[in-house]
Amino acid sequence: QVQLVESGGGVVQTGESLTLSCTTSGFASDYFAIGWARQAPGKEREGIACISGRIRGKEDSHYVDSVKGRFNISREFGKNTVYLQMNSLKLEDTAVYYCATDKWTECTWIPNMEFWGKGTPVTVSS
């Protein structure tokens, strides 16, 4: 049974950092793409970062423009955990953050991924 559990959300001030974790079970997540998405109040869920499955020791990462240069997605190989390090947080980063997968090696359109966690809330205050 594929499961994803997010953790690490909280309340921070603008400019601060926060690291989210996505712990997976039920599949060998090191070899599959894991995406992070967020949903702000009143807005649609948007994919923001994705890390591909590891092939021949390598993996790719992708970011939406609004977080590029501020957020970093990484994987702790062998621990079934993917992280989203968020730096220089802005008010507009306030949202519920989700991790997801569709058990493909390459990153695909995150909102269409099949398996989702329940999310962890992040609030950025001034």
Side-chain angles (χ1 to χ4, degrees):
Q1 182 181 0
V2 174
Q3 289 190 324
L4 302 97
V5 178
E6 305 90 342
S7 61
V11 180
V12 295
Q13 293 189 322
T14 54
E16 292 185 339
S17 299
L18 199 63
T19 298
L20 306 182
S21 300
C22 173
T23 303
T24 69
S25 60
F27 69 113
S29 63
D30 289 343
Y31 302 101
F32 295 100
I34 302 292
W36 281 96
R38 66 186 179 187
Q39 187 164 18
K43 295 190 176 182
E44 293 186 355
R45 191 173 297 186
E46 65 164 341
I48 58 172
C50 185
I51 187 166
S52 67
R54 180 168 290 194
I55 300 176
R56 292 185 288 276
K58 296 182 179 180
E59 51 204 8
D60 297 320
S61 56
H62 308 272
Y63 302 91
V64 69
D65 286 347
S66 60
V67 307
K68 199 173 293 183
R70 298 189 300 124
F71 290 12
N72 183 65
I73 189 170
S74 63
R75 168 181 278 122
E76 188 170 6
F77 191 75
K79 298 292 185 182
N80 293 323
T81 303
V82 171
Y83 301 100
L84 184 68
Q85 182 180 353
M86 307 186 295
N87 302 315
S88 303
L89 283 162
K90 304 176 181 181
L91 294 175
E92 52 264 42
D93 294 319
T94 294
V96 178
Y97 284 71
Y98 302 86
C99 59
T101 186
D102 54 10
K103 295 184 66 180
W104 284 21
T105 303
E106 299 298 325
C107 288
T108 58
W109 184 242
I110 297 171
N112 285 348
M113 286 184 171
E114 182 176 356
F115 303 98
W116 290 82
K118 296 185 184 300
T120 185
V122 173
T123 301
V124 184
S125 62
S126 58

